[in-house]
Amino acid sequence: MAEVAAEAHVSVKTVSRVVNHLPGVRPDTADRVRTVVERLGFRRSGGITTMREGRTFTIGLVVEELANPFYSQIAAAVEREARMRRHHLITVSAENSPSRERAVLQALVARRVDGIVVVPAGDEPVADPSLEASGIPIVHLDRPVRGGRYDTVLSDNPGGMRSAVEHLVAHGHRRLAFLGDDPEFWTARQRRESFVATHASLGLAGPPLVVMGPHTDVSVHHALTSWAGSRPPVTAVITGNNRVTLLALVALRRLGLSLSVVAYDDFELAELVDPPVTAVHQDPTAMGERAAQALFARLLGDESPARTVVLPTRLVVRGSGAPRGAPSSSVAAAAGAVVE
Amino acid sequence: MAEVAAEAHVSVKTVSRVVNHLPGVRPDTADRVRTVVERLGFRRSGGITTMREGRTFTIGLVVEELANPFYSQIAAAVEREARMRRHHLITVSAENSPSRERAVLQALVARRVDGIVVVPAGDEPVADPSLEASGIPIVHLDRPVRGGRYDTVLSDNPGGMRSAVEHLVAHGHRRLAFLGDDPEFWTARQRRESFVATHASLGLAGPPLVVMGPHTDVSVHHALTSWAGSRPPVTAVITGNNRVTLLALVALRRLGLSLSVVAYDDFELAELVDPPVTAVHQDPTAMGERAAQALFARLLGDESPARTVVLPTRLVVRGSGAPRGAPSSSVAAAAGAVVE
DNA sequence: CGGCGGGACGACGTCGATGTCATCGCGCCA
DNA sequence: TGGCGCGATGACATCGACGTCGTCCCGCCG
């Protein structure tokens, strides 16, 4: 800038005025400055406004794994909201490790991001004094954190699971199983609990069948074969999230089993699998939008108490919920057992 | 920092030394300072290093659409490479608009990112003097730009398309069609050209059948029905990218057509579609990694001339390439028509 | 013709952290 | 006991841009 000023025989202040379209500069002087600015390819140093204004017009997003479609849809939504407000988005994968998450959050705070949307890795709040002292607004997404001092956007896991179980039961299934992900995940536990509760409230016989992760193709393979071979056999499986769904569908195909499936987490090609997969749709786009909107509300000065929003899920029926494979008589028998 | 210094009865310089683990501070003094730092929750102002070092330890990624799995895999790979090098990643969707891309690049330059990976929206270089004057390293990914002054990482589109065509012909298909995406995309044009060239080089009869996008379900529906009804009928379709693949598979299912399909762009559930979809695998993860590596090489001072890397594709055979649906005699007849 | 008002412009301080160099104080040796 | 050397520490300038306020000059009016 000093260079430009010298070249144009003005002070840096005048250059500043011209660059920022401030009044108080004679047109001919402004022209001269603009010419030099053009010639020297001068640009403001950007990072400097950070210092004075204390804003970086950048927000951070911490997810588990960016390659997972669930999170990439969230990231796309958050980025769009940010872009609409002339902010940039820094996205980081924390790989579901609380220690990594803490490091990542600290790094984002050090970068002076204006706010953070985070899918928490653990249930415990990140006890980082500097993070709290920074006063940077945070929004929790998809999973709550004990204490709940921050805005939180969740999906209605109990409702989603209930709709899945009820759908299967309505189609005559009486022996259902839940193939959940790692119970370390809050969402996995929520879905398990709702599965068990709904199982009981519908008066289904026997203990609820549940196998939690973390899963590999082997563990899924084992769970499915044992369920299919049990007496009476399991006729329908609910998968706990998109990772589990993928493993389960592959295993079912390889094993030649034709259990009914309801997938928790909808996916783009659900319609194309044979049979088309009925799924609980969570709308990660809406989740990302709501989280970003809550964050920007805080950035605009919203000082109200932390809120928790629970977004509804939607059961997308595509056919995989109907009884298949087993002789129709057995289905009829099962259906005959319905109370009421 | 001044606050800490006053509290600890030392100068800001000494605080600086302690915080940065610089030598020349008595252990007891350092302890005292650390205690105060802890108590006041002091953190370096991050953005400030920008001013002196001129580095932000942040790189930018510009893609078309973050929700598209192809790009989200790229983003995940670039983010991982960046994280390994203690850099942050700002990801922006340019929605395939050159003007938006230009604005986005300018914003990233103003943010003083250290480097940029961009999937160019157009063929023409972004003629922005300030961008070039900034001296910020840029790597082009997936699509080249005229002039080619920057490092570029591409996928072997001609080779990928050739492998797809050859695979289908090897399975007896003689009437193939290409359902390409918008020819505004360089990759779409490359694949079209390779389809036509391979079609000719294999001595297939008749003009190559090509319908380019942009596509909607209607346009895809129309193309597929007209191909299926042509004389002799088309027996195999190559889809131009993951967007087109999705539309085509849905349309085929709805129409009840059983054309063979080879998808350009592999996808996670390709194995689960009925029949499993043979696909040209581009490995977006490797593309993102290579691009990031090239960028960081520049950041470390690599001054060599711009290089272009072309990554190989891999045909993942899953069964959808084999003739289907049509009476076996017609396939046999087609197979009988093979020259040699 | 002199004073006054106002537009145009520049000197200087500011932000947060750090490089540079001066200084301070202490112990040791001649 | 005076001087010297060295480790510890601080004062100050610096980076880039902008806010504040003073200054300068010109034209207009009494």
Side-chain angles (χ1 to χ4, degrees):
Chain A
M1 189 169 220
E3 207 175 323
V4 174
E7 192 79 9
H9 304 291
V10 295
S11 72
V12 288
K13 181 60 198 174
T14 301
V15 177
S16 168
R17 275 191 268 258
V18 172
V19 171
N20 297 306
H21 305 287
L22 294 175
V25 182
R26 272 207 317 255
D28 57 334
T29 308
D31 275 344
R32 200 170 68 239
V33 172
R34 266 191 291 271
T35 306
V36 178
V37 164
E38 195 76 16
R39 181 153 52 84
L40 299 185
F42 168 80
R43 321 205 92 242
R44 291 174 46 188
S45 172
I48 209 61
T49 50
T50 300
M51 201 166 73
R52 302 192 76 88
E53 303 180 17
R55 296 203 49 180
T56 56
F57 288 93
T58 303
I59 65 174
L61 171 66
V62 183
V63 296
E64 188 190 324
E65 177 201 4
L66 195 48
N68 184 322
F70 180 70
Y71 296 114
S72 70
Q73 286 178 69
I74 285 175
V78 174
E79 194 270 331
R80 187 157 43 77
E81 292 291 318
R83 188 146 34 85
M84 284 168 50
R85 294 169 174 81
R86 312 196 158 280
H87 282 242
H88 278 308
L89 176 67
I90 293 180
T91 309
V92 196
S93 297
E95 291 165 4
N96 207 47
S97 145
S99 65
R100 177 164 229 99
E101 175 182 308
R102 163 194 282 257
V104 158
L105 288 175
Q106 283 182 345
L108 287 174
V109 169
R111 272 286 187 296
R112 285 285 185 272
V113 294
D114 294 338
I116 301 176
V117 174
V118 53
V119 178
D123 302 329
E124 299 301 330
V126 177
D128 184 353
S130 67
L131 200 165
E132 302 174 15
S134 71
I136 294 179
I138 294 181
V139 174
H140 284 162
L141 182 55
D142 191 46
R143 310 167 194 166
V145 153
R146 243 187 274 289
R149 284 190 322 288
Y150 297 117
D151 289 327
T152 304
V153 176
L154 303 175
S155 174
D156 180 14
N157 291 294
M161 177 54 77
R162 196 180 326 115
S163 70
V165 174
E166 287 173 351
H167 171 77
L168 288 170
V169 170
H171 279 74
H173 293 281
R174 288 299 172 274
R175 287 273 286 177
L176 319 179
F178 175 53
L179 191 63
D181 202 346
D182 192 336
E184 186 197 330
F185 295 112
W186 179 82
T187 49
R189 293 199 302 278
Q190 280 255 306
R191 292 167 197 174
R192 174 180 60 189
E193 284 163 21
S194 175
F195 175 79
V196 171
T198 309
H199 189 276
S201 74
L202 292 180
L204 297 177
L209 300 171
V210 172
V211 171
M212 302 299 283
H215 284 297
T216 63
D217 48 357
V218 174
S219 69
V220 169
H221 191 284
H222 184 259
L224 293 174
T225 40
S226 84
W227 283 335
S230 68
R231 303 269 129 224
V234 168
T235 59
V237 175
I238 299 172
T239 54
N241 66 17
N242 57 13
R243 275 187 292 256
V244 176
T245 300
L246 180 62
L247 288 169
L249 291 177
V250 169
L252 286 174
R253 169 168 297 241
R254 297 218 173 125
L255 289 166
L257 292 174
S258 43
L259 296 173
S260 287
V261 171
V262 171
Y264 211 116
D265 275 2
D266 200 4
F267 53 99
E268 211 179 16
L269 282 85
E271 188 184 344
L272 296 169
V273 177
D274 186 39
V277 176
T278 295
V280 177
H281 186 82
Q282 287 203 73
D283 204 347
T285 300
M287 292 172 71
E289 280 172 2
R290 290 299 289 269
Q293 286 162 4
L295 184 62
F296 281 109
R298 295 294 175 189
L299 292 183
L300 290 177
D302 179 358
E303 300 281 357
S304 57
R307 273 186 296 269
T308 293
V309 177
V310 178
L311 298 181
T313 62
R314 184 163 50 87
L315 187 74
V316 182
V317 177
R318 294 202 183 87
S320 66
R324 5 176 348 216
S328 60
S329 63
S330 79
V331 172
V338 180
V339 182
E340 294 172 354
Chain B
M1 188 170 222
E3 208 174 322
V4 174
E7 193 80 8
H9 304 291
V10 295
S11 72
V12 289
K13 181 58 195 174
T14 300
V15 176
S16 168
R17 274 190 269 257
V18 171
V19 170
N20 297 306
H21 305 287
L22 294 175
V25 182
R26 269 208 321 250
D28 57 333
T29 308
D31 275 343
R32 200 172 68 237
V33 172
R34 265 191 291 271
T35 304
V36 178
V37 164
E38 195 74 16
R39 181 152 53 83
L40 298 185
F42 168 78
R43 321 204 91 244
R44 292 175 45 189
S45 171
I48 206 60
T49 50
T50 302
M51 199 165 77
R52 300 191 77 89
E53 303 178 18
R55 296 201 50 177
T56 56
F57 289 92
T58 303
I59 65 174
L61 172 66
V62 183
V63 297
E64 188 190 324
E65 177 201 3
L66 194 48
N68 185 323
F70 181 71
Y71 296 114
S72 70
Q73 286 177 69
I74 286 176
V78 173
E79 193 269 331
R80 187 157 42 79
E81 292 290 319
R83 190 147 33 85
M84 285 168 50
R85 294 170 175 80
R86 312 197 159 279
H87 282 242
H88 277 308
L89 176 67
I90 293 180
T91 309
V92 196
S93 296
E95 290 165 5
N96 207 47
S97 146
S99 65
R100 178 164 227 97
E101 175 182 309
R102 163 193 283 256
V104 159
L105 289 175
Q106 284 181 344
L108 288 174
V109 169
R111 273 285 189 296
R112 287 283 185 271
V113 294
D114 295 338
I116 301 175
V117 174
V118 52
V119 178
D123 302 328
E124 299 301 330
V126 177
D128 183 354
S130 68
L131 201 166
E132 302 174 15
S134 71
I136 293 180
I138 294 181
V139 173
H140 284 160
L141 181 55
D142 191 45
R143 313 167 193 165
V145 153
R146 246 186 273 285
R149 284 190 321 288
Y150 297 117
D151 290 326
T152 304
V153 175
L154 304 174
S155 173
D156 180 15
N157 291 295
M161 178 53 77
R162 197 179 327 113
S163 70
V165 174
E166 287 173 352
H167 170 77
L168 288 169
V169 170
H171 280 74
H173 294 281
R174 288 300 171 274
R175 286 275 285 177
L176 318 179
F178 174 54
L179 191 63
D181 202 348
D182 192 337
E184 186 198 329
F185 295 112
W186 179 83
T187 48
R189 294 198 302 277
Q190 280 255 307
R191 292 167 197 174
R192 173 180 62 189
E193 285 163 22
S194 175
F195 175 80
V196 171
T198 308
H199 188 276
S201 73
L202 291 180
L204 297 176
L209 300 171
V210 173
V211 171
M212 302 298 283
H215 283 299
T216 62
D217 49 357
V218 174
S219 70
V220 169
H221 191 284
H222 184 259
L224 292 174
T225 40
S226 84
W227 283 336
S230 68
R231 303 269 131 221
V234 168
T235 59
V237 175
I238 298 172
T239 54
N241 65 17
N242 57 12
R243 274 187 293 257
V244 177
T245 299
L246 181 62
L247 288 169
L249 291 177
V250 169
L252 285 174
R253 168 167 298 240
R254 297 218 174 126
L255 289 165
L257 293 174
S258 41
L259 296 173
S260 287
V261 171
V262 171
Y264 210 115
D265 275 2
D266 200 4
F267 52 100
E268 210 180 15
L269 282 83
E271 186 184 346
L272 295 169
V273 177
D274 187 39
V277 175
T278 295
V280 177
H281 186 82
Q282 288 203 73
D283 204 348
T285 299
M287 293 172 71
E289 280 171 4
R290 291 299 290 267
Q293 286 161 5
L295 184 62
F296 280 109
R298 296 293 175 189
L299 291 183
L300 290 176
D302 179 359
E303 299 281 357
S304 56
R307 275 185 295 271
T308 293
V309 177
V310 178
L311 298 182
T313 63
R314 184 163 51 87
L315 186 76
V316 181
V317 178
R318 295 204 183 85
S320 66
R324 10 178 339 218
S328 59
S329 63
S330 79
V331 174
V338 181
V339 183
E340 295 171 0

